[in-house]
Amino acid sequence: AHCFELGQKVYVVTGDKLRSGVGMVVAMDFRVDLALVAVERETLTSTVAVPLKLPDGPWYGVGYPEGEGPQAWFGEFLGIQRISNLPRGRWAWKLKKGRFEHGSSGSGVFKGGKLVAVATHKNDTTREIFAAPLHDLQAFLARVGKELPRLREASLAGLVEEDTAPHHTTTEIQPAGDTPASWG
């Protein structure tokens, strides 16, 4: 969520760089720092499942640090950690191999080949990477999924227009009070 504005059009390139297109930010939740970008199905080259429970297998992330990628990173899982400017805990990893720099926000974290978290930021001093954990990702998708048919129809129609889609075609879930600043 810290990377986008609701209703923003974004240029989308698939991880394998085989296709590109335009997407639109249709839902955001600042409590868990997640956003959903709607893209036309023809833009996708594959999809990744979000599991109901944490699978076995190694942890790894894939992102675009400094706009270069896709690049994988590997880390030692540290468990849940509290971050002062977020109301909910984050999963954390000590970076062991690879890069996580500006541009890696929103990158997937995988375990057993399944998407289990979305990375949001890193502490440069401790080399720790933080991500919205599986249970927050599942809850966000469940909340947004209830509105998905309406969001998909309205936002994809909005992609054809010159201006961004009207505000009523998007969903924002925001806590009371100040929202966190951008983490880059």
Side-chain angles (χ1 to χ4, degrees), residues 47-62 73 91 93 107-119 132-134 137-138 141:
T47 59
V48 178
V50 174
L52 295 176
K53 64 179 189 159
L54 194 61
D56 293 328
W59 297 96
Y60 62 96
V62 178
W73 59 263
W91 278 353
W93 293 265
S107 60
V109 179
F110 301 88
K111 188 166 177 39
K114 305 287 186 188
L115 179 67
V116 296
V118 175
L134 179 60
L137 180 57
Q138 291 167 331
L141 292 173

Side-chain angles (χ1 to χ4, degrees), residues 19-38:
R19 294 195 185 139
S20 62
V22 177
M24 180 177 289
V25 180
V26 296
M28 300 174 77
D29 186 338
F30 285 95
R31 292 173 296 184
V32 292
D33 194 18
L34 290 172
L36 181 66
V37 176

Side-chain angles (χ1 to χ4, degrees), residues 89-135:
R90 299 262 113 172
W91 278 353
W93 293 265
K94 180 77 159 190
L95 182 63
K96 297 294 184 181
K97 182 180 177 185
R99 291 177 53 209
F100 187 96
E101 306 294 336
H102 179 74
S104 295
S105 292
S107 60
V109 179
F110 301 88
K111 188 166 177 39
K114 305 287 186 188
L115 179 67
V116 296
V118 175
T120 56
H121 56 291
K122 173 184 143 196
N123 181 320
D124 289 326
T125 305
T126 62
R127 295 183 44 87
E128 292 174 330
I129 296 171
F130 303 95
L134 179 60
H135 57 274

